[in-house]
Amino acid sequence: MSVSRFWRKIPQRYNLIGTQCTTCGRYFYPPRSLCPDCRRSGTIVEHQFRGEGTIVTYTVIRTASDLFEHTTPYVLAIVRLDEGPNLTAQVVCRPEEARIGMRVKSVFRRIAADGESGVIHYGTKFVPAE
Amino acid sequence: MSVSRFWRKIPQRYNLIGTQCTTCGRYFYPPRSLCPDCRRSGTIVEHQFRGEGTIVTYTVIRTASDLFEHTTPYVLAIVRLDEGPNLTAQVVCRPEEARIGMRVKSVFRRIAADGESGVIHYGTKFVPAE
Amino acid sequence: MRDVAVIGVGCTQFSEHWYTSFRNLFVEAGTLALEDAGVTGGEVDALYVGNMSAGRFVEQEHIGALIADYAGLATNHIPSTRVEAACASGGLAFRQAVIAVASGMEDVVVAAGVEKMTDVGTGVGVDTLAGAADREWEGFAGATFPGLYAMIANDYMHRYALTREQLAQVAVKNHENGAKNPIAQFRQQITIDTVLNSPMVADPLRLFDCSPITDGAAAVVVVPLERAREFTDTPVRVLASVQASDTIALHDRRDISTLDATVAAGRRALRQARLEHRDIDMLEVHDCFTIAEICAIEDLGFCAKGEAGRLTEEGVTALAGDLPVNTSGGLKACGHPVGATGIKQIYEIVTQIRGEAGKRQVDAEVGLAHNVGGTGATVVVHILGGC
Amino acid sequence: MRDVAVIGVGCTQFSEHWYTSFRNLFVEAGTLALEDAGVTGGEVDALYVGNMSAGRFVEQEHIGALIADYAGLATNHIPSTRVEAACASGGLAFRQAVIAVASGMEDVVVAAGVEKMTDVGTGVGVDTLAGAADREWEGFAGATFPGLYAMIANDYMHRYALTREQLAQVAVKNHENGAKNPIAQFRQQITIDTVLNSPMVADPLRLFDCSPITDGAAAVVVVPLERAREFTDTPVRVLASVQASDTIALHDRRDISTLDATVAAGRRALRQARLEHRDIDMLEVHDCFTIAEICAIEDLGFCAKGEAGRLTEEGVTALAGDLPVNTSGGLKACGHPVGATGIKQIYEIVTQIRGEAGKRQVDAEVGLAHNVGGTGATVVVHILGGC
Ligand SMILES: [Zn+2]
Ligand SMILES: [Zn+2]
């Protein structure tokens, strides 16, 4: 990933900052600048998520792209944040520990090291919270 | 350029091997597997070009992609081979030497070194023949 | 709008084409399709080509012009347009060709699909395919394309009574069909144990749950139905052409293991064709992973959610069953050159309806093609019938 | 086929958008266009988007679904299709939208173009743009995109009496126009000396002969002409929509400095619109390089070969001239976010015909847009007129 593409989303990736449509109350993470329900009549503001949620589904990645190859196997999950939206993130646990319905909370971690651009990507992962 | 993409065209790139439609007599370089004039009724065979031709037009490249950056400035030309077809190639001469209508002949040279794949690309360049 | 018919089809061998370049793959398929249609290149009015990622696979964009040129059509200056929707690119190309003819704007249009995937290494290949999903919010976290379908499979198996063996049977059946298809990449039969003993890629999906990396091209020729008999005695009519979209990211879907775009496109297509499920004799569905075929059969409405595994186990979707699915071998066994797959589905249905499918021939007058982009962000459904 | 009208247009600032992502650029342009048209998102039937190379610029494919999703339209499951023909991708998107409405298949269609180019470094950018030409037989030899146009310029100047100053005047004029355009990337005027003293990129083309690297998006809304007055008092009618192809490689052309695809598309467009050259009041042409504007004016038939330099010098193509060319500032001064350019041309012509172009307003009832892919392997021409 290019440096500027990563850098542009640092607040969102580091601190789980998404958005909310204050017109209908719906939360968005990943952030959206347009509410699909209210569209142009919706007012969008930033929102920091608490970082607690539940595993909706998961997998264990055994074959990855070059960027992630040295970290396999790793648990990847769709996590439903308590405020509503779903996101895709890694869960820091042993493959056999992960299960659907597991409570998790966010942590700030190194995601990948990009050898080509020389940049280390940090962001949000989750850990078991039970 | 990936290794297999380069390797696939080695005979064509190293030895100026193109094709000819024996139905209408037209020569093709770069090689074509279908004659635009005769289409399915044309018979295509390989053809080795003599490698002599004339500069149709040219430029001097001052800003290049990463692969060629260290070789700037270089003369790039469209060369009309005596058998008919035009091709794009570098001409090994000083920028101020090049001119439209100049006679040139082909030589086998290093084209670029691909740091990423570790492969050196060889192929055909042209030199003045006057 | 005018009715549209397919008058010719062509397809390269699906395999790892070490000796053939991107452009020559297309030329081969296009030539076969024009020959089959009895159309000369000079009669072609326009060209649409589906391709996912030549930009990354072979560093080439501007695919429409490239293939028109190498097909020998450049000096006619015909419009040639590339469309892209990841793995649904081929289906889109066919649909745009149908619209161009239906509108009255063009008469003889070639729809093609092509992908050259084996020129890059596995790492770059995996990364390129992840571009079919949300690069910023799925790929960034380490999601691979098989990983996303694996999460669909886990959600599905958590909620419905699908066994690991039933899932494997999808691959077993598609290899059986592929073994009877001369253009298929894999022509050997496999067993459930082959699947269950293959390496894990992303739990619970194993290597034999996944479609392979493939090079290939396919092309078809469409004309107004009223002109079809000028070219062929066996035209095949386009009864419906529908495309639907959904969220790019899997995590934003209403339901993780239902492809709402498949549901929407399937319903609209049946309505457009004025047909019911029982009128459809065969399906070519998008089995990029075994779980995808299970979801497709259900989301298209051919059985209730949770029942496709049992149907597969019982042989209903096999060649000899009541509803043959992926007679070509599907993406799994026939191969999956991404942009070509949607056109190959049309190729297979036309071949079946014409009765030219040889050892894999089924009794089919009406067939449905289902082509998916990404994890369901684009779905294209076509229904074809004899006339 | 039905007549088609443009009822709304929108465009982002063209510039280096460090703080805005690919998807948000589109959302901004799309929102502006829908607002301008008085259309709600729920009324949109389909979406076409032109994009050259998100695969390499931001590692993302499946662009149609992505933008439908972030425009909030995913749950409507509308068809959303990406088309690509390098720098002509925007023109293609507009044309496909016109075909979809003309066919009767859709009523309210958004055509958009978007490119985010500044997320990669110069080397990767140059390499990506070279994918618009023949990667295997031009790029392999070291051809860059400016280098190919430089060879056109050298051929042209060898055969016709074009002076270096006349060529520079194209850039000077387009910067004058850009200075009056609020969305333009460059709003400062320049002189002939600015061009002649700028660094050489590929002889004889200097930095100020070249269009810049730009981020941006543009969108327009089209409907059947018969429904246009439901939405707006100032619909603009699509009088012609034509696309033509030519060889991908410059070296294979019949004539190096004549774009035969422009000649073909221009002729067919005038015939389709039943107009003659004197009926056209303004042109937006594809000036990716100064020489490209010279060729475009001639190849479209507005003067004989070899005369466009003199016309430019005499001010005929300036804002106050008889045939204003690139009132927007063109690709040179307004900027060139590759996939967005063809839509921005439509945006400019609609703005001019409506009389909303402010300080750069010209007297125009009919305008022609000319969008080129690569060095002329794809050309799209549209003619628009008030109604
Ligand atoms: Zn809202
Ligand atoms: Zn011939």
Side-chain angles (χ1 to χ4, degrees):
Chain A
M1 173 181 286
S2 74
V3 177
S4 54
R5 258 174 62 219
F6 174 69
W7 159 88
R8 187 178 298 130
K9 295 294 178 199
I10 278 183
Q12 291 81 356
R13 296 198 193 282
Y14 281 21
N15 302 317
L16 266 188
I17 290 177
T19 56
Q20 187 191 11
C21 172
T22 56
T23 308
C24 69
R26 190 168 158 191
Y27 293 97
F28 303 108
Y29 192 93
R32 284 176 184 264
S33 59
L34 190 74
C35 172
D37 296 323
C38 308
R39 296 206 181 91
R40 299 200 301 274
S41 59
T43 303
I44 300 286
V45 299
E46 283 202 343
H47 177 81
Q48 171 143 18
F49 288 89
R50 287 195 304 277
E52 290 169 20
T54 307
I55 292 182
V56 175
T57 183
Y58 72 96
T59 184
V60 183
I61 305 280
R62 314 270 175 181
T63 304
S65 68
D66 290 345
L67 212 55
F68 292 92
E69 195 51 51
H70 62 291
T71 61
T72 55
Y74 54 90
V75 175
L76 185 81
I78 292 179
V79 173
R80 175 154 296 152
L81 296 173
D82 291 344
E83 293 91 338
N86 285 355
L87 58 81
T88 299
Q90 290 184 32
V91 178
V92 186
C93 69
R94 279 175 291 118
E96 55 278 17
E97 263 184 286
R99 62 174 176 77
I100 291 174
M102 180 188 249
R103 292 288 298 165
V104 290
K105 63 181 184 190
S106 66
V107 289
F108 177 70
R109 289 288 161 89
R110 170 172 150 154
I111 304 288
D114 189 339
E116 211 177 314
S117 69
V119 173
I120 295 172
H121 296 157
Y122 292 91
T124 300
K125 291 187 182 179
F126 286 79
V127 293
E130 291 181 337
Chain B
M1 172 181 287
S2 74
V3 176
S4 53
R5 259 175 60 221
F6 174 68
W7 159 88
R8 187 178 298 129
K9 294 295 177 198
I10 280 183
Q12 290 81 357
R13 295 197 193 283
Y14 282 21
N15 302 319
L16 268 188
I17 291 177
T19 55
Q20 186 190 12
C21 172
T22 55
T23 309
C24 69
R26 191 170 157 189
Y27 293 96
F28 303 107
Y29 192 93
R32 286 176 185 264
S33 60
L34 190 72
C35 172
D37 296 325
C38 308
R39 295 206 182 91
R40 299 199 301 273
S41 60
T43 303
I44 301 286
V45 299
E46 284 203 342
H47 178 81
Q48 171 144 17
F49 289 89
R50 287 194 305 277
E52 290 169 22
T54 307
I55 292 182
V56 174
T57 183
Y58 73 96
T59 183
V60 183
I61 305 281
R62 314 269 175 180
T63 304
S65 69
D66 290 346
L67 211 56
F68 292 92
E69 195 52 52
H70 62 289
T71 60
T72 56
Y74 54 90
V75 175
L76 185 80
I78 292 179
V79 173
R80 174 155 297 152
L81 296 174
D82 292 343
E83 293 90 338
N86 285 354
L87 59 82
T88 299
Q90 290 183 33
V91 178
V92 186
C93 68
R94 279 175 291 117
E96 56 277 17
E97 262 185 289
R99 61 174 177 74
I100 291 173
M102 180 188 246
R103 292 288 299 166
V104 290
K105 63 179 183 191
S106 66
V107 289
F108 177 69
R109 288 289 160 87
R110 169 172 152 154
I111 304 288
D114 189 339
E116 210 176 315
S117 69
V119 173
I120 296 173
H121 297 158
Y122 292 91
T124 299
K125 291 187 182 180
F126 286 79
V127 294
E130 293 181 337
Chain C
M1 287 176 45
R2 304 193 291 187
D3 284 322
V4 178
V6 180
I7 57 162
V9 297
C11 197
T12 67
Q13 186 74 38
F14 278 14
S15 64
E16 298 187 350
H17 281 283
W18 298 104
Y19 297 96
T20 311
S21 64
F22 178 89
R23 64 192 75 186
N24 283 345
L25 281 174
F26 166 77
V27 168
E28 187 185 333
T31 302
L32 289 168
L34 290 181
E35 263 172 22
D36 184 50
V39 166
T40 64
E43 290 175 280
V44 175
D45 292 324
L47 213 154
Y48 285 90
V49 58
N51 170 262
M52 171 177 174
S53 204
R56 295 199 64 198
F57 286 128
V58 294
E59 302 175 300
Q60 178 75 59
E61 310 284 1
H62 212 166
I63 305 308
L66 176 75
I67 67 167
D69 181 8
Y70 275 76
L73 303 176
T75 45
N76 298 9
H77 308 306
I78 60 167
S80 183
T81 302
R82 174 205 179 180
V83 293
E84 183 270 323
C87 339
S89 300
L92 254 69
F94 185 68
R95 184 162 180 273
Q96 292 302 319
V98 168
I99 294 174
V101 171
S103 72
M105 189 167 277
E106 316 286 4
D107 262 18
V108 181
V109 179
V110 174
V114 54
E115 207 84 48
K116 182 83 182 78
M117 304 175 73
T118 61
D119 281 356
V120 297
T122 306
V124 174
V126 168
D127 194 61
T128 299
L129 293 175
D134 190 335
R135 165 68 54 178
E136 300 290 324
W137 302 104
E138 295 183 314
F140 177 82
T144 59
F145 204 57
L148 294 167
Y149 272 93
M151 292 201 289
I152 294 177
N154 256 351
D155 178 63
Y156 186 104
M157 296 175 87
H158 185 72
R159 294 160 63 190
Y160 307 105
L162 175 72
T163 66
R164 191 44 267 217
E165 287 72 19
Q166 288 170 338
L167 197 54
Q169 183 57 34
V170 173
V172 172
K173 173 201 51 109
N174 288 347
H175 272 258
E176 265 171 31
N177 297 352
K180 300 183 169 71
N181 187 353
I183 66 157
Q185 182 168 11
F186 297 127
R187 302 191 58 195
Q188 82 280 29
Q189 300 199 10
I190 60 168
T191 66
I192 286 181
D193 281 345
T194 317
V195 182
L196 299 188
N197 295 329
S198 66
M200 194 71 89
V201 173
D203 309 30
L205 299 181
R206 294 176 179 273
L207 188 61
F208 272 79
D209 288 298
C210 308
S211 55
I213 297 289
T214 314
D215 302 324
V220 304
V221 185
V222 293
V223 299
L225 180 61
E226 71 221 32
R227 288 196 55 194
R229 300 260 169 204
E230 292 174 31
F231 301 98
T232 179
D233 294 332
T234 54
V236 172
R237 189 169 164 182
V238 181
L239 301 169
S241 176
V242 174
Q243 178 185 341
S245 59
D246 202 342
T247 63
I248 184 87
L250 179 63
H251 57 234
D252 276 332
R253 304 280 162 75
R254 184 188 58 79
D255 178 327
I256 299 294
S257 52
T258 301
L259 277 69
D260 280 350
T262 295
V263 175
R267 275 190 200 146
R268 292 175 195 166
L270 284 169
R271 202 182 319 135
Q272 202 178 94
R274 293 184 191 151
L275 293 174
E276 296 181 39
H277 286 94
R278 64 167 179 272
D279 301 319
I280 308 290
D281 301 315
M282 64 171 289
L283 310 178
E284 282 284 304
V285 304
H286 197 91
D287 61 320
C288 47
F289 301 93
T290 46
I291 185 65
E293 177 164 323
I294 297 290
C295 290
I297 294 167
E298 295 168 353
D299 297 342
L300 287 168
F302 286 91
C303 65
K305 206 72 197 168
E307 289 186 0
R310 188 179 49 77
L311 290 190
T312 305
E313 189 178 16
E314 290 170 356
V316 175
T317 60
L319 271 194
D322 284 345
L323 183 69
V325 175
N326 284 329
T327 57
S328 69
L331 285 60
K332 175 67 197 83
C334 192
H336 183 28
V338 178
T341 282
I343 300 289
K344 182 224 68 181
Q345 294 179 327
I346 305 297
Y347 169 92
E348 177 66 12
I349 291 175
V350 168
T351 303
Q352 289 282 358
I353 289 175
R354 285 184 184 171
E356 299 170 356
K359 289 183 188 167
R360 67 184 195 288
Q361 183 68 49
V362 297
D363 187 19
E365 281 170 27
V366 177
L368 181 150
H370 164 260
N371 192 198
V372 176
T375 56
T378 299
V379 171
V380 193
V381 171
H382 285 97
I383 302 177
L384 303 168
C387 54
Chain D
M1 287 177 46
R2 304 193 292 185
D3 283 322
V4 178
V6 180
I7 57 163
V9 297
C11 196
T12 67
Q13 187 74 38
F14 277 14
S15 64
E16 297 185 351
H17 281 282
W18 298 103
Y19 296 97
T20 310
S21 64
F22 178 90
R23 63 191 76 185
N24 283 345
L25 281 175
F26 167 78
V27 168
E28 187 185 333
T31 303
L32 289 168
L34 290 181
E35 262 172 22
D36 184 51
V39 166
T40 64
E43 292 176 279
V44 175
D45 292 323
L47 214 153
Y48 285 90
V49 59
N51 171 261
M52 171 177 174
S53 203
R56 296 199 63 197
F57 285 129
V58 294
E59 299 175 304
Q60 177 75 61
E61 309 285 2
H62 213 166
I63 304 307
L66 176 75
I67 67 166
D69 181 10
Y70 275 75
L73 303 176
T75 47
N76 298 9
H77 307 305
I78 61 167
S80 184
T81 302
R82 174 207 180 180
V83 292
E84 183 269 323
C87 339
S89 300
L92 254 67
F94 184 69
R95 184 161 180 273
Q96 292 303 320
V98 168
I99 294 174
V101 172
S103 72
M105 187 166 279
E106 317 286 3
D107 262 19
V108 180
V109 179
V110 174
V114 54
E115 207 83 49
K116 182 84 181 78
M117 303 174 72
T118 62
D119 280 356
V120 297
T122 307
V124 175
V126 168
D127 194 60
T128 300
L129 293 174
D134 190 335
R135 165 68 55 179
E136 300 291 323
W137 301 104
E138 294 183 315
F140 177 83
T144 60
F145 203 57
L148 294 168
Y149 273 93
M151 291 201 289
I152 294 176
N154 256 351
D155 178 63
Y156 187 104
M157 295 174 89
H158 185 72
R159 293 160 63 189
Y160 307 106
L162 174 72
T163 66
R164 189 47 267 217
E165 287 71 22
Q166 287 170 339
L167 196 56
Q169 182 59 31
V170 172
V172 172
K173 172 202 51 112
N174 287 348
H175 271 258
E176 265 171 31
N177 297 352
K180 299 183 170 73
N181 188 352
I183 66 158
Q185 183 168 9
F186 296 127
R187 303 191 57 195
Q188 82 280 29
Q189 300 198 8
I190 59 167
T191 64
I192 286 181
D193 281 345
T194 316
V195 182
L196 299 189
N197 295 329
S198 66
M200 194 70 90
V201 173
D203 309 28
L205 299 181
R206 294 174 179 274
L207 188 61
F208 272 80
D209 288 298
C210 308
S211 55
I213 296 289
T214 314
D215 302 324
V220 303
V221 185
V222 293
V223 299
L225 179 62
E226 70 223 28
R227 287 197 54 195
R229 300 260 169 205
E230 291 174 32
F231 301 98
T232 179
D233 294 332
T234 53
V236 172
R237 188 169 164 183
V238 181
L239 300 170
S241 177
V242 174
Q243 178 186 340
S245 59
D246 202 344
T247 63
I248 185 84
L250 179 63
H251 57 235
D252 277 332
R253 304 280 163 74
R254 184 189 59 80
D255 178 327
I256 299 294
S257 52
T258 300
L259 277 70
D260 279 349
T262 295
V263 175
R267 274 190 201 147
R268 292 175 196 165
L270 284 170
R271 203 183 317 138
Q272 200 177 95
R274 294 186 190 146
L275 293 174
E276 296 182 38
H277 285 93
R278 64 167 180 273
D279 301 317
I280 307 290
D281 302 315
M282 64 172 288
L283 309 179
E284 282 283 305
V285 304
H286 198 92
D287 61 319
C288 47
F289 301 93
T290 46
I291 185 66
E293 177 165 322
I294 296 291
C295 290
I297 294 167
E298 295 168 353
D299 297 342
L300 287 167
F302 287 92
C303 65
K305 208 70 198 168
E307 289 186 359
R310 187 179 51 75
L311 290 190
T312 305
E313 187 178 16
E314 291 170 356
V316 174
T317 60
L319 271 195
D322 283 345
L323 182 69
V325 175
N326 284 328
T327 58
S328 69
L331 285 59
K332 176 66 197 83
C334 191
H336 183 29
V338 177
T341 283
I343 301 289
K344 184 225 67 181
Q345 294 179 327
I346 306 296
Y347 169 93
E348 176 67 12
I349 291 174
V350 168
T351 303
Q352 290 282 359
I353 290 175
R354 285 182 183 174
E356 298 170 355
K359 289 183 187 166
R360 66 185 195 288
Q361 183 67 50
V362 296
D363 187 17
E365 282 170 27
V366 177
L368 181 150
H370 164 261
N371 192 197
V372 176
T375 55
T378 298
V379 171
V380 193
V381 171
H382 284 98
I383 302 177
L384 302 168
C387 55

